[in-house]
Amino acid sequence: QVQLVESGGGSVQAGGSLRLSCAASGTIFRLKSMGWYRQVPGKTRELVAASISDGSTNYADSVKDRFTISRDNAKNMVFLQMNSLKPEDTGVYYCNFRLRRGVIDADYWGQGTQVTVSS
């Protein structure tokens, strides 16, 4: 099993910055990607940023040039630096690790951390 614990959420005014961290423990191998997702009430969870095992990254269009995902493979950690925050960035942010288990992908999630951006 894999356990993920996020930290770093909070409340900030528009234009401010926050840094999210996620630490993983357990049996981690064949890691395909680490990422961050956001969910707001009434909507499905959406990808914010992902760091792929081949070294590439993906970002939602709404956060490009403002958010940066990074990782520490030795410590099984992933980070999300969020700058120039906007009220629409508000939501619960979930850390995700996607591992290859046999012929399928297995997603592991953290408990979520609230980010609130006020105007």
Side-chain angles (χ1 to χ4, degrees), residues 7-12 16-20 36-40 67 80 82 85-94 112-118:
S7 60
S11 297
V12 65
S17 297
L18 286 172
R19 179 177 169 85
L20 305 183
W36 291 94
Y37 287 70
R38 176 174 63 214
Q39 190 165 22
V40 298
F67 290 12
L80 185 67
M82 305 185 292
L85 282 160
K86 303 176 180 180
E88 51 263 42
D89 295 321
T90 294
V92 179
Y93 283 70
Y94 294 90
T113 185
Q114 176 71 43
V115 171
T116 302
V117 184
S118 58

Side-chain angles (χ1 to χ4, degrees), residues 38-54:
R38 176 174 63 214
Q39 190 165 22
V40 298
K43 293 190 176 182
T44 58
R45 196 171 295 184
E46 61 178 3
L47 176 69
V48 175
S51 175
I52 313 303
S53 59
D54 64 1

